[in-house]
Amino acid sequence: GAVVSQHPSRVICKSGTSVKIECRSLDFQATTMFWYRQFPKQSLMLMATSNEGSKATYEQGVEKDKFLINHASLTLSTLTVTSAHPEDSSFYICSARDARKNTEAFFGQGTRLTVV
Amino acid sequence: DAKTTQPNSMESNEEEPVHLPCNHSTISGTDYIHWYRQLPSQGPEYVIHGLTSNVNNRMASLAIAEDRKSSTLILHRATLRDAAVYYCILRDRNNAGNMLTFGGGTRLMVKP
């Protein structure tokens, strides 16, 4: 079945640095990908919608200058957490759906970000 | 998308059936009922979905009430690997490209 690959699965960075997370659809094209964030014991919260070839759409309360999203191709979206702070430590998850089919959504394995 | 209500947690014994309920009283005629589950430290994975009729696949069965205001995910024989958070989500079939909105889900604990 369709697979979404997310990398890295785990990253530790120093406060003030930037971290890039990649999300790839391996065997289908995704004009739209979604980025979620999940804090411990909580549900997934949508951060932004990544649109191939255009600007991302951010949910209310999510800083677009802090969470940079680039969707340069139909199979790759990246999320860059800039100037990371300890409160940005979370589980980040991407999702994509095959644009040609009305099918289920596929999720990446998630990225555990720890800012120290 | 319309809202769903699920119990916060449920317990099951290994190799016994599990029935996970979901209420969606404000469901519209074009909403599909989707179930996803999230294993510890992983992204969610698709389980099953349906519109009106009951559905079966290799992972589970989905029983949908006649008025569609509730549904039940059935795991026929729970295993320890089924311990996860199960999310019941409504998705409008006319908005196939839209994101999924996750509620609190049901945390299923499976006892050996």
Side-chain angles (χ1 to χ4, degrees):
Chain A
V3 176
V4 171
S5 177
Q6 191 173 337
H7 179 81
S9 59
R10 186 180 297 269
V11 59
I12 301 173
C13 72
K14 291 184 177 180
S15 194
T17 61
S18 296
V19 173
K20 180 186 284 188
I21 303 170
E22 291 188 348
C23 180
R24 294 180 185 273
S25 56
L26 295 186
D27 56 359
F28 66 96
Q29 295 180 333
T31 54
T32 304
M33 293 185 177
F34 305 99
W35 287 95
Y36 294 83
R37 179 169 52 183
Q38 185 176 33
F39 291 107
K41 304 293 185 185
Q42 295 186 24
S43 188
L44 284 76
M45 295 298 295
L46 180 69
M47 297 176 65
T49 301
S50 172
N51 302 298
E52 187 267 336
S54 65
K55 291 183 179 180
T57 305
Y58 291 82
E59 295 299 300
Q60 191 172 8
V62 178
E63 301 175 55
K64 60 177 173 43
D65 294 329
K66 180 172 183 60
F67 298 99
L68 302 179
I69 290 173
N70 183 279
H71 194 153
S73 77
L74 287 171
T75 58
L76 174 64
S77 175
T78 60
L79 169 68
T80 301
V81 183
T82 64
S83 187
H85 291 286
E87 56 264 32
D88 298 324
S89 298
S90 188
F91 193 51
Y92 292 84
I93 306 166
C94 69
S95 171
R97 181 178 283 120
D98 190 333
R100 301 162 299 178
K101 305 175 185 176
N102 186 4
T103 63
E104 68 269 28
F106 300 97
F107 290 83
Q109 307 94 316
T111 297
R112 174 80 56 196
L113 171 63
T114 304
V115 185
V116 297
Chain B
D1 293 322
K3 185 177 176 179
T4 63
T5 304
Q6 300 176 253
N8 290 333
S9 64
M10 290 184 66
E11 266 191 9
S12 170
N13 293 316
E14 197 176 10
E15 298 192 5
E16 289 187 356
V18 181
H19 290 231
L20 297 166
C22 181
N23 287 321
H24 27 78
S25 58
T26 58
I27 190 171
S28 73
T30 55
D31 282 334
Y32 276 94
I33 302 161
H34 282 243
W35 284 82
Y36 286 77
R37 73 178 185 180
Q38 185 178 23
L39 302 172
S41 299
Q42 295 187 31
E45 64 174 344
Y46 168 81
V47 178
I48 200 167
H49 77 281
L51 186 62
T52 56
S53 304
N54 294 343
V55 184
N56 300 296
N57 66 20
R58 63 177 180 81
M59 289 182 71
S61 295
L62 177 60
I64 302 173
E66 196 168 332
D67 63 4
R68 301 208 326 125
K69 293 185 177 182
S70 65
S71 61
T72 302
L73 179 70
I74 302 166
L75 306 180
H76 295 286
R77 286 183 68 212
T79 69
L80 297 178
R81 287 192 298 270
D82 291 322
V85 179
Y86 287 78
Y87 296 99
C88 170
I89 301 170
L90 302 183
R91 185 170 72 85
D92 190 329
R93 66 179 179 184
N94 294 322
N95 293 312
N98 280 8
M99 74 292 182
L100 295 176
T101 301
F102 287 81
T106 297
R107 181 174 298 276
L108 175 65
M109 292 166 280
V110 181
K111 296 183 291 184

